[in-house]
Coordinates of all heavy atoms in Angstrom, one line a residue:
M1 N 27.1 14.9 -7.2 CA 27.2 13.5 -7.4 C 27.3 13.2 -8.8 O 26.5 13.6 -9.7 CB 26.0 12.8 -6.8 CG 25.9 11.3 -7.1 SD 24.4 10.6 -6.7 CE 24.8 9.6 -5.4
D2 N 28.3 12.4 -9.3 CA 28.4 11.9 -10.7 C 27.5 10.7 -10.9 O 27.7 9.7 -10.3 CB 29.8 11.6 -10.9 CG 30.1 11.2 -12.4 OD1 29.3 11.4 -13.2 OD2 31.2 10.6 -12.7
R3 N 26.5 10.9 -11.7 CA 25.5 9.8 -11.9 C 25.9 8.9 -13.2 O 25.2 8.1 -13.6 CB 24.2 10.3 -12.1 CG 23.7 11.1 -10.8 CD 22.3 11.7 -11.0 NE 22.0 12.5 -10.0 CZ 21.3 12.2 -8.9 NH1 20.9 11.0 -8.8 NH2 21.0 13.1 -7.9
N4 N 27.1 9.3 -13.8 CA 27.4 8.5 -15.0 C 27.8 7.0 -14.8 O 27.6 6.2 -15.7 CB 28.6 9.2 -15.6 CG 28.3 10.6 -16.2 OD1 27.2 10.8 -16.7 ND2 29.3 11.5 -16.2
D5 N 28.1 6.7 -13.6 CA 28.4 5.3 -13.2 C 27.3 4.5 -12.5 O 27.6 3.4 -12.2 CB 29.7 5.3 -12.4 CG 30.9 5.7 -13.2 OD1 30.9 5.6 -14.5 OD2 31.8 6.3 -12.6
I6 N 26.2 5.2 -12.3 CA 25.1 4.5 -11.6 C 24.3 3.6 -12.5 O 24.0 4.0 -13.6 CB 24.1 5.6 -11.0 CG1 24.9 6.4 -9.9 CG2 22.9 4.9 -10.3 CD1 24.0 7.5 -9.3
K7 N 24.2 2.3 -12.1 CA 23.5 1.3 -12.8 C 22.2 0.8 -12.1 O 22.3 0.8 -10.8 CB 24.4 0.1 -13.1 CG 25.5 0.5 -14.0 CD 26.6 -0.7 -14.1 CE 26.0 -1.8 -14.9 NZ 26.9 -2.9 -15.2
A8 N 21.2 0.5 -12.7 CA 20.0 0.0 -12.0 C 20.4 -1.3 -11.4 O 21.1 -2.2 -12.1 CB 18.9 -0.2 -13.1
P9 N 19.9 -1.6 -10.3 CA 20.1 -2.9 -9.6 C 19.6 -4.0 -10.5 O 18.4 -4.0 -11.0 CB 19.4 -2.8 -8.3 CG 19.2 -1.3 -8.1 CD 19.0 -0.7 -9.4
S10 N 20.2 -5.1 -10.4 CA 19.8 -6.3 -11.2 C 18.8 -7.1 -10.4 O 18.4 -6.8 -9.2 CB 21.0 -7.3 -11.4 OG 21.4 -7.8 -10.1
L11 N 18.2 -8.1 -11.0 CA 17.2 -8.9 -10.3 C 17.9 -9.6 -9.0 O 17.3 -9.6 -7.9 CB 16.7 -10.0 -11.2 CG 15.9 -9.6 -12.3 CD1 15.6 -10.8 -13.3 CD2 14.6 -9.0 -11.9
E12 N 19.1 -10.0 -9.2 CA 19.9 -10.6 -8.0 C 20.1 -9.5 -6.9 O 20.0 -9.7 -5.7 CB 21.2 -11.1 -8.5 CG 21.1 -12.3 -9.4 CD 20.8 -11.9 -10.8 OE1 21.0 -10.8 -11.2 OE2 20.2 -12.8 -11.6
D13 N 20.4 -8.3 -7.3 CA 20.6 -7.2 -6.4 C 19.3 -6.9 -5.6 O 19.3 -6.8 -4.4 CB 21.0 -5.8 -7.0 CG 22.3 -5.9 -7.7 OD1 23.2 -6.7 -7.3 OD2 22.5 -5.1 -8.7
F14 N 18.1 -7.0 -6.3 CA 16.9 -6.8 -5.6 C 16.6 -7.9 -4.6 O 16.1 -7.6 -3.5 CB 15.7 -6.8 -6.6 CG 15.3 -5.4 -7.0 CD1 16.1 -4.6 -7.9 CD2 14.2 -4.8 -6.5 CE1 15.7 -3.4 -8.2 CE2 13.7 -3.5 -6.8 CZ 14.5 -2.8 -7.7
E15 N 17.0 -9.1 -4.9 CA 16.7 -10.2 -4.0 C 17.6 -10.0 -2.7 O 17.2 -10.2 -1.6 CB 17.0 -11.6 -4.6 CG 16.8 -12.7 -3.6 CD 16.8 -14.1 -4.2 OE1 17.1 -14.2 -5.5 OE2 16.7 -15.0 -3.5
T16 N 18.9 -9.6 -2.9 CA 19.7 -9.3 -1.8 C 19.2 -8.2 -0.9 O 19.2 -8.4 0.3 CB 21.1 -8.9 -2.3 OG1 21.7 -10.0 -3.1 CG2 22.1 -8.6 -1.2
M17 N 18.7 -7.2 -1.5 CA 18.0 -6.1 -0.7 C 16.8 -6.5 0.0 O 16.6 -6.2 1.1 CB 17.7 -4.9 -1.7 CG 18.9 -4.1 -2.2 SD 18.5 -2.6 -3.1 CE 17.7 -3.2 -4.6
A18 N 16.0 -7.4 -0.6 CA 14.8 -7.9 0.0 C 15.2 -8.8 1.1 O 14.5 -8.6 2.3 CB 14.0 -8.7 -1.0
R19 N 16.1 -9.6 1.0 CA 16.5 -10.5 2.1 C 17.1 -9.6 3.3 O 16.8 -10.0 4.5 CB 17.5 -11.5 1.7 CG 16.9 -12.6 0.8 CD 17.9 -13.6 0.4 NE 17.3 -14.6 -0.5 CZ 16.4 -15.5 -0.1 NH1 16.0 -15.6 1.1 NH2 15.8 -16.3 -1.1
A20 N 17.9 -8.6 3.0 CA 18.4 -7.8 4.0 C 17.3 -7.0 4.7 O 17.4 -6.9 5.9 CB 19.4 -6.8 3.4
A21 N 16.3 -6.5 4.0 CA 15.3 -5.7 4.6 C 14.5 -6.6 5.6 O 14.1 -6.2 6.6 CB 14.4 -5.1 3.6
F22 N 14.2 -7.9 5.1 CA 13.5 -8.8 6.0 C 14.3 -9.1 7.2 O 13.7 -9.2 8.3 CB 13.2 -10.1 5.1 CG 12.4 -11.1 5.9 CD1 11.1 -10.9 6.2 CD2 13.0 -12.2 6.4 CE1 10.3 -11.8 6.9 CE2 12.2 -13.2 7.2 CZ 10.9 -13.0 7.4
A23 N 15.6 -9.3 7.1 CA 16.4 -9.7 8.2 C 16.5 -8.6 9.2 O 16.7 -8.8 10.4 CB 17.9 -10.0 7.7
D24 N 16.3 -7.3 8.8 CA 16.2 -6.1 9.7 C 14.9 -6.0 10.5 O 14.9 -5.2 11.4 CB 16.5 -4.9 8.9 CG 18.0 -4.7 8.5 OD1 18.8 -5.5 9.0 OD2 18.3 -3.9 7.6
L25 N 13.9 -6.8 10.1 CA 12.6 -6.7 10.8 C 12.7 -7.3 12.2 O 13.6 -8.2 12.4 CB 11.5 -7.4 10.0 CG 11.1 -6.8 8.7 CD1 10.2 -7.7 7.9 CD2 10.6 -5.4 8.9
P26 N 11.9 -6.9 13.1 CA 12.0 -7.5 14.4 C 11.8 -9.0 14.4 O 11.1 -9.6 13.6 CB 10.8 -6.9 15.2 CG 10.5 -5.6 14.4 CD 10.9 -5.9 13.0
R27 N 12.5 -9.7 15.2 CA 12.5 -11.2 15.3 C 11.1 -11.8 15.4 O 10.8 -12.7 14.8 CB 13.5 -11.7 16.5 CG 13.5 -13.2 16.6 CD 14.5 -13.6 17.7 NE 14.3 -12.8 19.0 CZ 13.4 -13.1 19.9 NH1 12.6 -14.2 19.7 NH2 13.2 -12.4 21.0
E28 N 10.3 -11.1 16.2 CA 8.9 -11.6 16.4 C 8.1 -11.6 15.1 O 7.4 -12.6 14.8 CB 8.2 -10.7 17.5 CG 8.8 -10.8 18.9 CD 10.0 -9.8 19.0 OE1 10.2 -9.0 18.1 OE2 10.7 -10.0 20.1
F29 N 8.4 -10.6 14.3 CA 7.6 -10.5 13.0 C 8.2 -11.6 12.1 O 7.4 -12.3 11.4 CB 7.8 -9.2 12.4 CG 7.1 -9.1 11.0 CD1 5.8 -8.8 10.9 CD2 7.9 -9.3 9.9 CE1 5.2 -8.7 9.7 CE2 7.2 -9.2 8.6 CZ 5.9 -8.9 8.6
R30 N 9.5 -11.8 12.0 CA 10.1 -12.8 11.2 C 9.6 -14.2 11.6 O 9.3 -15.0 10.7 CB 11.6 -12.7 11.2 CG 12.2 -11.4 10.5 CD 13.7 -11.5 10.3 NE 14.4 -12.1 11.4 CZ 15.0 -11.5 12.5 NH1 14.9 -10.2 12.5 NH2 15.7 -12.1 13.3
A31 N 9.5 -14.4 12.9 CA 9.0 -15.7 13.3 C 7.6 -16.0 12.9 O 7.2 -17.1 12.5 CB 9.0 -15.8 14.9
L32 N 6.7 -14.9 12.9 CA 5.3 -15.1 12.5 C 5.3 -15.3 10.9 O 4.4 -16.0 10.5 CB 4.5 -13.9 12.8 CG 4.1 -13.7 14.2 CD1 3.4 -12.3 14.5 CD2 3.1 -14.8 14.7
A33 N 6.1 -14.7 10.3 CA 6.2 -14.8 8.7 C 6.7 -16.1 8.4 O 6.3 -16.7 7.3 CB 7.1 -13.7 8.1
G34 N 7.6 -16.7 9.2 CA 8.1 -18.1 8.7 C 9.1 -18.0 7.6 O 9.7 -16.9 7.3
D35 N 9.3 -19.1 6.9 CA 10.2 -19.1 5.7 C 9.5 -18.3 4.6 O 8.4 -18.7 4.2 CB 10.5 -20.5 5.3 CG 11.4 -21.2 6.3 OD1 12.2 -20.5 7.0 OD2 11.2 -22.4 6.5
I36 N 10.2 -17.4 4.0 CA 9.7 -16.7 2.9 C 10.5 -16.9 1.6 O 11.7 -16.9 1.7 CB 9.7 -15.1 3.2 CG1 8.6 -14.9 4.3 CG2 9.3 -14.3 2.0 CD1 8.5 -13.4 4.7
V37 N 9.8 -17.1 0.5 CA 10.5 -17.2 -0.7 C 10.3 -15.8 -1.4 O 9.1 -15.4 -1.5 CB 9.9 -18.3 -1.6 CG1 10.5 -18.3 -3.0 CG2 10.2 -19.7 -1.0
F38 N 11.4 -15.2 -1.9 CA 11.3 -14.0 -2.6 C 11.4 -14.3 -4.1 O 12.3 -14.9 -4.6 CB 12.4 -13.0 -2.2 CG 12.3 -12.5 -0.8 CD1 13.0 -13.1 0.3 CD2 11.4 -11.4 -0.5 CE1 12.9 -12.6 1.6 CE2 11.3 -10.9 0.7 CZ 12.0 -11.6 1.8
G39 N 10.4 -13.8 -4.8 CA 10.4 -13.9 -6.3 C 10.6 -12.5 -6.9 O 9.8 -11.7 -6.6
I40 N 11.7 -12.4 -7.5 CA 12.0 -11.1 -8.1 C 11.9 -11.1 -9.7 O 12.5 -12.1 -10.3 CB 13.4 -10.6 -7.8 CG1 13.7 -10.8 -6.3 CG2 13.7 -9.2 -8.2 CD1 12.9 -10.0 -5.3
E41 N 11.0 -10.3 -10.2 CA 10.8 -10.4 -11.6 C 10.7 -8.9 -12.2 O 10.6 -8.0 -11.4 CB 9.5 -11.1 -12.0 CG 9.5 -12.5 -11.5 CD 8.1 -13.2 -11.7 OE1 7.3 -12.6 -12.5 OE2 7.9 -14.2 -11.1
D42 N 11.0 -8.8 -13.5 CA 11.0 -7.4 -14.0 C 9.6 -6.9 -14.0 O 9.3 -5.7 -13.6 CB 11.5 -7.4 -15.4 CG 13.1 -7.2 -15.5 OD1 13.6 -6.4 -14.6 OD2 13.7 -7.8 -16.3
F43 N 8.6 -7.7 -14.3 CA 7.2 -7.3 -14.4 C 6.3 -8.4 -14.0 O 6.7 -9.6 -14.0 CB 6.8 -6.9 -15.9 CG 7.4 -5.6 -16.4 CD1 8.4 -5.7 -17.3 CD2 7.0 -4.4 -15.9 CE1 9.0 -4.5 -17.8 CE2 7.5 -3.3 -16.5 CZ 8.5 -3.3 -17.3
P44 N 5.1 -8.1 -13.5 CA 4.1 -9.2 -13.3 C 3.8 -10.0 -14.5 O 3.8 -9.4 -15.6 CB 2.9 -8.5 -12.7 CG 3.0 -7.1 -13.2 CD 4.5 -6.8 -13.4
D45 N 3.4 -11.2 -14.4 CA 3.0 -12.1 -15.5 C 1.6 -11.8 -15.9 O 0.9 -11.0 -15.2 CB 3.3 -13.6 -15.3 CG 2.5 -14.1 -14.2 OD1 1.4 -13.5 -13.8 OD2 2.9 -15.2 -13.6
A46 N 1.2 -12.4 -17.0 CA -0.2 -12.1 -17.6 C -1.3 -12.6 -16.6 O -2.3 -11.9 -16.5 CB -0.3 -12.9 -18.9
E47 N -1.0 -13.6 -15.9 CA -2.0 -14.1 -14.9 C -2.3 -13.1 -13.8 O -3.4 -12.8 -13.4 CB -1.6 -15.4 -14.3 CG -2.6 -16.0 -13.3 CD -2.2 -17.3 -12.7 OE1 -1.1 -17.9 -13.2 OE2 -2.9 -17.8 -11.9
V48 N -1.2 -12.5 -13.2 CA -1.3 -11.4 -12.2 C -2.0 -10.2 -12.8 O -2.9 -9.6 -12.2 CB 0.1 -11.1 -11.7 CG1 0.0 -9.8 -10.8 CG2 0.7 -12.3 -10.8
M49 N -1.6 -9.8 -14.0 CA -2.2 -8.7 -14.7 C -3.7 -8.8 -14.8 O -4.5 -8.0 -14.5 CB -1.6 -8.5 -16.1 CG -0.2 -8.1 -16.1 SD 0.1 -6.3 -15.7 CE -0.8 -5.5 -16.9
R50 N -4.1 -10.1 -15.2 CA -5.6 -10.4 -15.4 C -6.3 -10.5 -14.0 O -7.3 -9.8 -13.8 CB -5.7 -11.7 -16.1 CG -7.1 -12.1 -16.4 CD -7.4 -13.4 -17.1 NE -6.9 -14.5 -16.1 CZ -5.9 -15.2 -16.3 NH1 -5.1 -15.1 -17.3 NH2 -5.6 -16.2 -15.4
D51 N -5.7 -11.3 -13.0 CA -6.4 -11.4 -11.8 C -6.4 -10.1 -11.0 O -7.5 -9.9 -10.3 CB -5.6 -12.5 -10.9 CG -5.7 -13.8 -11.5 OD1 -6.5 -14.1 -12.4 OD2 -5.0 -14.7 -11.0
M52 N -5.5 -9.2 -11.1 CA -5.5 -8.0 -10.3 C -6.2 -6.9 -11.2 O -6.4 -5.8 -10.7 CB -4.1 -7.6 -10.0 CG -3.3 -8.6 -9.1 SD -4.1 -8.8 -7.4 CE -3.6 -7.1 -6.7
K53 N -6.6 -7.1 -12.4 CA -7.3 -6.2 -13.2 C -6.5 -4.9 -13.4 O -7.0 -3.8 -13.3 CB -8.6 -5.9 -12.7 CG -9.5 -7.1 -12.7 CD -11.0 -6.8 -12.2 CE -11.8 -8.1 -12.3 NZ -12.5 -8.4 -11.2
L54 N -5.2 -5.1 -13.7 CA -4.2 -4.0 -13.9 C -4.3 -3.4 -15.2 O -4.4 -4.1 -16.3 CB -2.8 -4.4 -13.6 CG -2.5 -5.1 -12.2 CD1 -1.1 -5.7 -12.2 CD2 -2.8 -4.1 -11.1
D55 N -4.2 -2.2 -15.4 CA -4.2 -1.5 -16.7 C -2.8 -1.5 -17.3 O -2.7 -1.4 -18.5 CB -4.7 0.0 -16.5 CG -6.2 0.1 -16.1 OD1 -7.0 -0.8 -16.6 OD2 -6.6 1.0 -15.4
S56 N -1.8 -1.5 -16.4 CA -0.4 -1.4 -16.9 C 0.4 -2.3 -16.0 O 0.1 -2.5 -14.8 CB 0.1 0.1 -16.8 OG 1.4 0.1 -16.8
E57 N 1.5 -2.8 -16.5 CA 2.4 -3.6 -15.8 C 3.2 -2.8 -14.7 O 3.8 -3.3 -13.8 CB 3.4 -4.4 -16.7 CG 4.2 -3.4 -17.6 CD 4.5 -4.0 -18.9 OE1 4.2 -5.2 -19.1 OE2 5.1 -3.3 -19.7
F58 N 3.0 -1.5 -14.8 CA 3.7 -0.6 -13.8 C 2.7 -0.3 -12.6 O 3.1 0.5 -11.7 CB 4.1 0.7 -14.5 CG 5.3 0.6 -15.3 CD1 5.2 0.3 -16.6 CD2 6.5 0.6 -14.8 CE1 6.3 0.2 -17.5 CE2 7.7 0.5 -15.6 CZ 7.6 0.3 -16.9
D59 N 1.5 -0.9 -12.6 CA 0.5 -0.5 -11.6 C 0.7 -1.3 -10.3 O 0.0 -1.2 -9.3 CB -0.9 -0.8 -12.2 CG -1.4 0.3 -13.1 OD1 -0.7 1.3 -13.2 OD2 -2.4 0.0 -13.8
I60 N 1.7 -2.2 -10.3 CA 1.9 -3.0 -9.1 C 3.4 -3.1 -8.8 O 4.2 -3.4 -9.7 CB 1.3 -4.4 -9.3 CG1 1.3 -5.2 -8.0 CG2 1.9 -5.2 -10.5 CD1 0.5 -6.5 -8.0
L61 N 3.8 -2.9 -7.6 CA 5.2 -3.0 -7.1 C 5.6 -4.4 -6.6 O 6.7 -4.8 -6.8 CB 5.6 -1.9 -6.1 CG 5.2 -0.5 -6.5 CD1 5.6 0.4 -5.3 CD2 5.9 -0.1 -7.8
G62 N 4.6 -5.1 -6.0 CA 4.9 -6.4 -5.5 C 3.6 -7.1 -5.1 O 2.5 -6.5 -5.2
L63 N 3.7 -8.3 -4.7 CA 2.6 -9.1 -4.4 C 2.9 -10.2 -3.4 O 3.9 -10.8 -3.4 CB 2.0 -9.8 -5.7 CG 0.8 -10.6 -5.6 CD1 -0.4 -9.6 -5.3 CD2 0.5 -11.2 -7.0
F64 N 1.9 -10.4 -2.4 CA 2.1 -11.4 -1.3 C 1.3 -12.6 -1.7 O 0.1 -12.5 -2.1 CB 1.7 -10.8 0.0 CG 1.6 -11.8 1.1 CD1 2.7 -12.2 1.8 CD2 0.4 -12.4 1.4 CE1 2.6 -13.2 2.8 CE2 0.3 -13.4 2.4 CZ 1.4 -13.7 3.1
H65 N 1.8 -13.8 -1.6 CA 1.1 -15.0 -1.7 C 1.4 -15.8 -0.4 O 2.6 -16.0 0.0 CB 1.6 -15.9 -2.9 CG 1.0 -15.4 -4.2 ND1 -0.2 -15.8 -4.6 CD2 1.6 -14.7 -5.2 CE1 -0.4 -15.2 -5.8 NE2 0.7 -14.5 -6.1
G66 N 0.4 -16.3 0.3 CA 0.7 -17.1 1.4 C -0.5 -17.3 2.3 O -1.6 -16.8 2.0
P67 N -0.3 -18.0 3.4 CA -1.5 -18.2 4.4 C -1.8 -16.9 5.0 O -1.0 -16.0 5.2 CB -0.9 -19.2 5.3 CG 0.5 -19.1 5.2 CD 0.9 -18.6 3.9
R68 N -3.0 -16.8 5.4 CA -3.5 -15.6 6.2 C -3.0 -15.7 7.6 O -3.0 -16.8 8.1 CB -5.0 -15.5 6.1 CG -5.6 -15.3 4.8 CD -7.2 -15.2 4.8 NE -7.8 -16.0 5.9 CZ -8.8 -15.4 6.6 NH1 -9.3 -14.3 6.3 NH2 -9.3 -16.1 7.5
L69 N -2.5 -14.6 8.1 CA -2.0 -14.6 9.5 C -3.0 -15.1 10.5 O -2.7 -15.8 11.4 CB -1.5 -13.2 9.8 CG -0.9 -13.1 11.2 CD1 0.2 -14.0 11.4 CD2 -0.5 -11.6 11.5
A70 N -4.3 -14.6 10.3 CA -5.4 -15.1 11.2 C -5.6 -16.6 11.2 O -5.7 -17.2 12.3 CB -6.8 -14.4 10.8
D71 N -5.4 -17.3 10.1 CA -5.5 -18.7 10.0 C -4.3 -19.3 10.8 O -4.5 -20.3 11.5 CB -5.5 -19.2 8.6 CG -6.8 -18.9 7.9 OD1 -7.8 -18.6 8.6 OD2 -6.9 -18.9 6.7
Q72 N -3.1 -18.8 10.6 CA -1.9 -19.3 11.3 C -2.1 -19.2 12.8 O -1.8 -20.2 13.6 CB -0.7 -18.6 10.8 CG -0.2 -19.0 9.5 CD 1.1 -18.3 9.1 OE1 1.1 -17.1 8.8 NE2 2.2 -18.9 9.1
L73 N -2.5 -18.0 13.3 CA -2.7 -17.8 14.7 C -3.8 -18.7 15.3 O -3.7 -19.1 16.5 CB -2.9 -16.3 15.0 CG -1.8 -15.4 14.7 CD1 -2.3 -13.9 14.9 CD2 -0.5 -15.7 15.5
A74 N -4.7 -19.1 14.5 CA -5.8 -19.9 15.0 C -5.4 -21.4 14.9 O -6.2 -22.3 15.4 CB -7.1 -19.7 14.2
G75 N -4.2 -21.7 14.4 CA -3.8 -23.1 14.4 C -4.2 -23.8 13.2 O -4.0 -25.1 13.1
H76 N -4.8 -23.2 12.2 CA -5.3 -23.9 10.9 C -4.0 -24.3 10.2 O -3.2 -23.4 10.0 CB -6.2 -23.0 10.1 CG -7.4 -22.8 10.9 ND1 -8.1 -21.5 10.8 CD2 -8.2 -23.5 11.7 CE1 -9.2 -21.5 11.6 NE2 -9.3 -22.7 12.2
V77 N -4.1 -25.5 9.6 CA -3.0 -25.9 8.8 C -3.3 -25.4 7.3 O -4.3 -25.5 6.8 CB -2.9 -27.4 8.8 CG1 -1.8 -27.9 7.9 CG2 -2.6 -27.9 10.2
N78 N -2.2 -24.9 6.8 CA -2.3 -24.4 5.3 C -1.0 -24.7 4.7 O 0.2 -24.3 5.2 CB -2.6 -22.8 5.4 CG -2.8 -22.4 4.0 OD1 -2.2 -22.8 3.0 ND2 -3.7 -21.4 3.9
G79 N -1.0 -25.4 3.7 CA 0.3 -25.8 3.0 C 0.8 -24.7 2.0 O 1.8 -25.1 1.3
R80 N 0.3 -23.5 2.0 CA 0.8 -22.5 1.1 C 2.1 -22.0 1.6 O 2.3 -21.6 2.8 CB -0.3 -21.4 1.0 CG -1.5 -21.9 0.4 CD -2.5 -20.7 0.3 NE -2.0 -19.8 -0.7 CZ -2.6 -18.6 -1.0 NH1 -3.8 -18.3 -0.3 NH2 -2.2 -17.8 -1.8
Q81 N 3.0 -21.9 0.6 CA 4.4 -21.3 1.0 C 4.2 -19.8 1.0 O 3.5 -19.2 0.1 CB 5.4 -21.7 -0.1 CG 6.7 -21.0 -0.1 CD 7.5 -21.3 1.1 OE1 7.7 -22.5 1.3 NE2 8.0 -20.4 1.8
T82 N 4.8 -19.1 2.0 CA 4.8 -17.7 2.0 C 5.8 -17.2 0.9 O 6.9 -17.5 0.9 CB 5.2 -17.1 3.3 OG1 4.3 -17.7 4.3 CG2 5.1 -15.6 3.4
M83 N 5.2 -16.4 0.0 CA 6.0 -15.9 -1.1 C 5.8 -14.3 -1.3 O 4.7 -13.9 -1.1 CB 5.7 -16.5 -2.4 CG 5.9 -18.0 -2.4 SD 5.5 -18.8 -3.9 CE 6.7 -18.4 -5.0
I84 N 6.8 -13.6 -1.5 CA 6.7 -12.2 -1.8 C 7.3 -11.9 -3.2 O 8.5 -12.2 -3.4 CB 7.3 -11.3 -0.7 CG1 6.7 -11.5 0.6 CG2 7.4 -9.8 -1.2 CD1 7.3 -10.8 1.7
F85 N 6.5 -11.4 -4.1 CA 7.0 -11.1 -5.4 C 7.3 -9.6 -5.5 O 6.4 -8.8 -5.1 CB 6.0 -11.5 -6.5 CG 5.8 -13.0 -6.6 CD1 4.8 -13.6 -5.9 CD2 6.7 -13.7 -7.4 CE1 4.6 -15.0 -6.0 CE2 6.5 -15.1 -7.5 CZ 5.5 -15.7 -6.8
L86 N 8.4 -9.3 -6.0 CA 8.8 -7.9 -6.2 C 9.0 -7.7 -7.6 O 9.6 -8.5 -8.3 CB 10.0 -7.4 -5.4 CG 10.0 -7.7 -3.9 CD1 11.3 -7.3 -3.3 CD2 8.8 -6.7 -3.3
Y87 N 8.4 -6.5 -8.2 CA 8.6 -6.3 -9.7 C 9.6 -5.1 -9.9 O 9.2 -4.0 -9.6 CB 7.2 -6.1 -10.2 CG 6.3 -7.2 -9.9 CD1 5.1 -7.0 -9.2 CD2 6.6 -8.4 -10.5 CE1 4.3 -8.1 -8.9 CE2 5.8 -9.6 -10.1 CZ 4.6 -9.4 -9.4 OH 3.8 -10.4 -9.2
R88 N 10.7 -5.5 -10.3 CA 11.9 -4.6 -10.4 C 11.6 -3.3 -11.2 O 11.8 -2.2 -10.7 CB 13.1 -5.3 -11.0 CG 14.4 -4.6 -11.0 CD 15.5 -5.3 -11.6 NE 15.4 -5.3 -13.1 CZ 16.2 -4.5 -13.8 NH1 17.0 -3.7 -13.3 NH2 16.0 -4.5 -15.1
R89 N 11.1 -3.4 -12.4 CA 10.9 -2.3 -13.3 C 9.9 -1.2 -12.7 O 10.2 -0.1 -12.6 CB 10.6 -2.7 -14.7 CG 11.7 -3.5 -15.4 CD 12.8 -2.6 -15.9 NE 12.2 -1.4 -16.8 CZ 11.9 -1.5 -18.0 NH1 12.0 -2.7 -18.7 NH2 11.4 -0.5 -18.7
P90 N 8.8 -1.7 -12.2 CA 7.8 -0.7 -11.6 C 8.5 -0.1 -10.4 O 8.2 1.1 -10.1 CB 6.6 -1.6 -11.2 CG 6.6 -2.7 -12.2 CD 8.1 -3.0 -12.4
I91 N 9.2 -0.9 -9.6 CA 9.9 -0.3 -8.4 C 10.9 0.7 -8.8 O 11.0 1.9 -8.3 CB 10.5 -1.4 -7.5 CG1 9.4 -2.2 -6.9 CG2 11.4 -0.7 -6.4 CD1 10.0 -3.4 -6.2
L92 N 11.6 0.4 -9.8 CA 12.7 1.4 -10.3 C 12.0 2.7 -10.8 O 12.4 3.8 -10.6 CB 13.6 0.8 -11.3 CG 14.5 -0.2 -10.8 CD1 15.3 -0.8 -12.1 CD2 15.5 0.4 -9.9
D93 N 10.8 2.6 -11.5 CA 10.1 3.7 -12.0 C 9.6 4.6 -10.9 O 9.7 5.7 -10.9 CB 9.0 3.1 -12.9 CG 8.3 4.2 -13.8 OD1 9.0 4.8 -14.6 OD2 7.1 4.5 -13.5
Y94 N 9.0 3.9 -9.9 CA 8.5 4.7 -8.7 C 9.7 5.4 -8.1 O 9.5 6.6 -7.7 CB 7.8 3.6 -7.7 CG 7.3 4.4 -6.5 CD1 6.1 4.8 -6.5 CD2 8.1 4.5 -5.4 CE1 5.6 5.5 -5.4 CE2 7.7 5.2 -4.2 CZ 6.4 5.6 -4.2 OH 5.9 6.3 -3.1
W95 N 10.8 4.7 -7.9 CA 12.0 5.3 -7.2 C 12.4 6.5 -8.0 O 12.8 7.5 -7.4 CB 13.1 4.2 -7.2 CG 14.4 4.7 -6.7 CD1 14.7 5.3 -5.5 CD2 15.6 4.5 -7.4 NE1 16.1 5.5 -5.5 CE2 16.7 5.1 -6.6 CE3 16.0 3.9 -8.6 CZ2 18.0 5.1 -7.0 CZ3 17.3 3.9 -9.0 CH2 18.3 4.5 -8.2
A96 N 12.5 6.5 -9.3 CA 13.0 7.5 -10.2 C 12.0 8.8 -10.1 O 12.5 9.9 -10.2 CB 13.1 7.1 -11.6
E97 N 10.8 8.5 -9.7 CA 9.8 9.7 -9.7 C 9.6 10.2 -8.3 O 8.8 11.2 -8.2 CB 8.5 9.1 -10.3 CG 8.6 8.9 -11.8 CD 7.3 8.5 -12.4 OE1 6.3 8.5 -11.7 OE2 7.3 8.1 -13.6
H98 N 10.1 9.6 -7.3 CA 9.9 10.0 -6.0 C 11.2 10.3 -5.2 O 12.3 10.0 -5.7 CB 9.1 9.0 -5.2 CG 7.7 8.9 -5.8 ND1 7.4 8.1 -6.9 CD2 6.5 9.4 -5.4 CE1 6.1 8.2 -7.2 NE2 5.5 9.0 -6.3
D99 N 11.1 10.8 -4.0 CA 12.3 11.2 -3.2 C 12.7 10.1 -2.2 O 13.1 10.4 -1.1 CB 12.0 12.6 -2.6 CG 13.3 13.2 -2.0 OD1 14.4 12.9 -2.6 OD2 13.2 14.0 -1.1
D100 N 12.4 8.9 -2.5 CA 12.7 7.7 -1.6 C 14.0 7.2 -2.0 O 14.4 7.2 -3.2 CB 11.6 6.6 -1.7 CG 10.3 7.1 -1.2 OD1 10.2 7.9 -0.3 OD2 9.2 6.7 -1.9
T101 N 14.7 6.6 -1.0 CA 15.9 5.8 -1.4 C 15.4 4.4 -1.8 O 14.4 3.9 -1.4 CB 16.9 5.7 -0.1 OG1 16.2 4.9 0.9 CG2 17.3 7.0 0.3
L102 N 16.3 3.8 -2.6 CA 15.9 2.5 -3.0 C 16.0 1.4 -1.9 O 15.2 0.4 -1.9 CB 16.8 2.0 -4.3 CG 16.3 0.8 -5.0 CD1 14.9 1.0 -5.5 CD2 17.2 0.6 -6.2
G103 N 17.0 1.6 -1.1 CA 17.1 0.6 0.1 C 16.0 0.7 1.0 O 15.6 -0.3 1.7

């Protein structure tokens, strides 16, 4: 395989992959999850670093923000938007060091 033309996926590429992966999940799971906003960034911000007590910006691949499933199933109203943050550079670093496909 000629690797001279391989480029790292962009932030937009990561969002496309995230949406495709979510679309491939079973319909029942997608219904429970509801509308999801995907936030794709190169690294976590300073607040995430501090709140998660991370030593390095490479210590986290992604982060979920949203209502707890148990609360939703119990019928509790929660105005929090379901969001999944993916951190591109840590994911690429993990991918480069392991035998997983990026998709």
